[in-house]
Amino acid sequence: MGSRFPSHQLSNGLYVSGRPEQPKEKAPVICSTAMPYTGGDIKKSGELGKMFDLHVEKSRKSGPLGNQPSRNTSFGGAGSNSGPVSNAVGRSNYSGSISSSVPGAGGSARAKSNSGPLNKHGEPGKKSSGPQSGGVTPMARQNSGPLPPVLPTTGLITSGPISSGPLNSSGAPRKVSGPLDPSVSLKMRATSFAHNPAVTNLNADDGYSIKGSIPKTILWLVVLLFVMGFIAGGFILGAVHNPVLLVVVVVIFCFVAALVIWNVCWGTRGVTGFVSHHRDVDLRTAKDGQYVKVTGVVTCGNFPLESSFQRVPRCVYTSTCLYEYRGWESKAANTEHRRFTWGLRSMERHAVDFYISDFQSGLRALVKTGYGARVTPYVDESVVIDINPDNKDLSPEFLRWLRERNLSSDDRIMRLKEGYIKEGSTVSVMGVVQRNDNVLMIVPPSEPISTGCQWAKCILPTSLDGLVLRCEDTSNIDVIPV
């Protein structure tokens, strides 16, 4: 029976419309060479290694596994660090060789194999994530992930140290499990403060001194005049029996002595009053080389400090002073310690560079108080602990602090004071403005600055050398979080 539409019969006997399909030729199977496992090594990445001007090194075999005669099933005949995958797994692995369906894979090689690099003994090595220390060789441990970029040195001060913890032989941070010994960590911190060039050690008492207020020439001239006045007054009193000159000399001497004693007792307050009443300068209008006073909030630089006794973290200035009271039979704290007075026995003062954010302009300036700069601190210190022979055993922390500094703890009356400027505190800084490549800095002046006479308070002039730091006691004041 004829039909206008062509039809054909299938193999099962059914008739379907349409012409029978012509058998297609089977496409040839093209086998591509698998890429070797590089483990993050640029030297084994082919063209990528050439981009970094690295010579591509041929991987050496790590030794045969079992009785396998050849490694022709692993990555197109080239030696590789990755062994064949076991046939029992039933799946392919990117870091292993091609599956066991490829002819030529030996049974002994399929019996025991591992994926990943092999060490120098022919055993599979451990994989680690991230960069490892030491040089990378064909036999060394392989890493996954890119190599760390080498950043150029910019000179910017960032918050927090660059690396924390001990370093290994190649300079990379070494991981240590568990807490460190407290005594060892304290010694390491004290050593780092003493030998770090970024830390300024203020071991001398740079506060107010009456000797710095009166020049030596004027002081010796006044002493000579008083001696001559007493001699002349005594001669006239004995010869003419006229005590007027002697009385005048005694009155003038008492007035000068009272003025000196007043300045010894209240001279520090006079300097802090001068700093407090000095007008703040807007950093936006400050000229290069101008002596200014800036008040603002402190931010740490790249090397924050920690207080010695209370261990207050993230400070830019720390001061810990130990004083002793000398009675009639007590020992002297220093060579200039007089009886029935408090004498300084130990002092630890450190300062580093920090940032200050101006309250008026909002600008951020770098204060150069580190690297051995001249600094005159007027930071209030609070009494931390008072020790006498009766209660010295009640403070083990204080005894530990004395042992770390090789100080005796015998029957003495001692007082420990500590002051600090921590991050977020409000500080007043007096120094010279310096602009360098759009970086605003406050540096020490080249010459000391005189405060002048404060006639209303009977305060003699004194000299302020270097940068002046003024901060009130912040032990009981909440700081501004930054």
Side-chain angles (χ1 to χ4, degrees):
M1 166 175 180
S3 175
R4 14 184 331 192
F5 299 100
S7 63
H8 65 280
Q9 186 179 8
L10 299 177
S11 59
N12 55 5
L14 295 178
Y15 286 92
V16 294
S17 60
R19 298 179 181 179
E21 295 182 358
Q22 299 295 331
K24 296 181 180 180
E25 296 181 0
K26 188 175 183 182
V29 178
I30 300 177
C31 297
S32 61
T33 303
M35 293 301 295
Y37 172 73
T38 62
D41 191 359
I42 300 179
K43 297 180 180 182
K44 299 180 182 180
S45 299
E47 298 297 330
L48 180 61
K50 294 179 181 179
M51 294 172 61
F52 290 91
D53 295 333
L54 297 176
H55 300 286
V56 179
E57 299 180 2
K58 293 183 179 181
S59 302
R60 294 181 295 179
K61 296 180 180 180
S62 301
L65 296 177
N67 299 324
Q68 183 180 359
S70 63
R71 296 289 295 273
N72 56 354
T73 62
S74 177
F75 305 147
S80 173
N81 290 333
S82 299
V85 179
S86 174
N87 190 20
V89 177
R91 60 183 177 89
S92 176
N93 194 326
Y94 287 104
S95 61
S97 63
I98 57 178
S99 63
S100 60
S101 61
V102 179
S108 59
R110 293 192 303 265
K112 179 181 179 181
S113 61
N114 292 292
S115 175
L118 305 178
N119 57 17
K120 62 182 180 179
H121 300 291
E123 299 176 355
K126 296 180 180 180
K127 296 180 181 179
S128 59
S129 178
Q132 301 287 339
S133 61
V136 178
T137 60
M139 300 297 294
R141 181 182 301 176
Q142 302 295 328
N143 308 315
S144 62
L147 293 177
V150 180
L151 299 178
T153 303
T154 60
L156 294 178
I157 295 181
T158 58
S159 179
I162 297 176
S163 60
S164 177
L167 304 178
N168 56 15
S169 59
S170 62
R174 177 168 59 89
K175 295 182 179 180
V176 181
S177 60
L180 295 175
D181 188 3
S183 61
V184 176
S185 61
L186 290 175
K187 292 181 180 179
M188 291 175 60
R189 184 175 70 250
T191 305
S192 63
F193 287 170
H195 300 283
N196 195 320
V199 180
T200 300
N201 297 317
L202 306 173
N203 294 326
D205 192 0
D206 297 330
Y208 178 83
S209 177
I210 189 65
K211 295 180 180 179
S213 302
I214 303 176
K216 291 184 178 181
T217 304
I218 298 178
L219 181 62
W220 286 109
L221 182 60
V222 171
V223 172
L224 181 61
L225 291 176
F226 274 115
V227 171
M228 295 176 62
F230 277 114
I231 294 175
F235 179 77
I236 294 176
L237 179 63
V240 189
H241 300 285
N242 188 356
V244 176
L245 181 61
L246 183 61
V247 171
V248 172
V249 172
V250 171
V251 171
I252 296 176
F253 176 79
C254 292
F255 174 76
V256 173
L259 182 64
V260 172
I261 295 175
W262 175 265
N263 279 266
V264 170
C265 297
W266 301 95
T268 302
R269 290 193 177 184
V271 175
T272 56
F274 168 80
V275 176
S276 300
H277 292 87
H278 198 280
R279 184 176 60 88
D280 290 339
V281 177
D282 192 346
L283 289 178
R284 292 173 297 185
T285 59
K287 299 179 181 179
D288 192 11
Q290 180 182 354
Y291 189 79
V292 298
K293 173 198 170 185
V294 178
T295 302
V297 180
V298 168
T299 307
C300 290
N302 65 335
F303 195 85
L305 300 175
E306 185 180 70
S307 62
S308 177
F309 185 76
Q310 296 176 322
R311 299 184 184 179
V312 179
R314 300 197 64 78
C315 298
V316 300
Y317 168 85
T318 59
S319 174
T320 305
C321 300
L322 178 63
Y323 298 91
E324 288 186 3
Y325 183 80
R326 185 183 181 185
W328 182 256
E329 297 180 354
S330 302
K331 298 180 181 179
N334 52 64
T335 56
E336 299 179 356
H337 191 190
R338 297 182 298 272
R339 286 183 173 85
F340 306 108
T341 58
W342 288 93
L344 180 63
R345 186 181 182 187
S346 176
M347 174 186 291
E348 296 180 7
R349 283 182 179 176
H350 307 287
V352 292
D353 292 350
F354 62 92
Y355 287 103
I356 183 170
S357 299
D358 185 18
F359 280 154
Q360 293 190 2
S361 62
L363 295 180
R364 196 169 182 232
L366 175 62
V367 183
K368 300 292 292 183
T369 53
Y371 296 94
R374 302 188 313 274
V375 180
T376 302
Y378 287 96
V379 181
D380 293 344
E381 298 177 353
S382 59
V383 178
V384 178
I385 188 173
D386 281 322
I387 297 296
N388 54 51
D390 297 332
N391 63 353
K392 69 175 183 177
D393 296 331
L394 300 179
S395 178
E397 292 294 329
F398 179 72
L399 297 178
R400 174 193 56 78
W401 187 86
L402 291 177
R403 287 193 301 268
E404 291 172 355
R405 287 149 185 82
N406 296 324
L407 299 176
S408 60
S409 58
D410 48 3
D411 295 340
R412 300 189 184 191
I413 301 176
M414 294 177 285
R415 174 175 294 174
L416 185 67
K417 290 185 177 182
E418 193 166 60
Y420 47 83
I421 301 176
K422 58 183 176 180
E423 191 173 46
S425 302
T426 301
V427 178
S428 296
V429 179
M430 299 183 69
V432 176
V433 175
Q434 181 176 344
R435 300 178 185 271
N436 187 11
D437 295 336
N438 297 327
V439 177
L440 185 61
M441 295 185 295
I442 300 178
V443 299
S446 58
E447 297 180 357
I449 304 299
S450 177
T451 60
C453 290
Q454 302 181 34
W455 301 106
K457 299 180 180 179
C458 298
I459 301 296
L460 298 176
T462 185
S463 298
L464 301 178
D465 189 15
L467 285 169
V468 180
L469 300 181
R470 172 59 183 152
C471 182
E472 298 180 355
D473 185 14
T474 59
S475 59
N476 298 323
I477 301 177
D478 294 334
V479 299
I480 300 175
V482 294

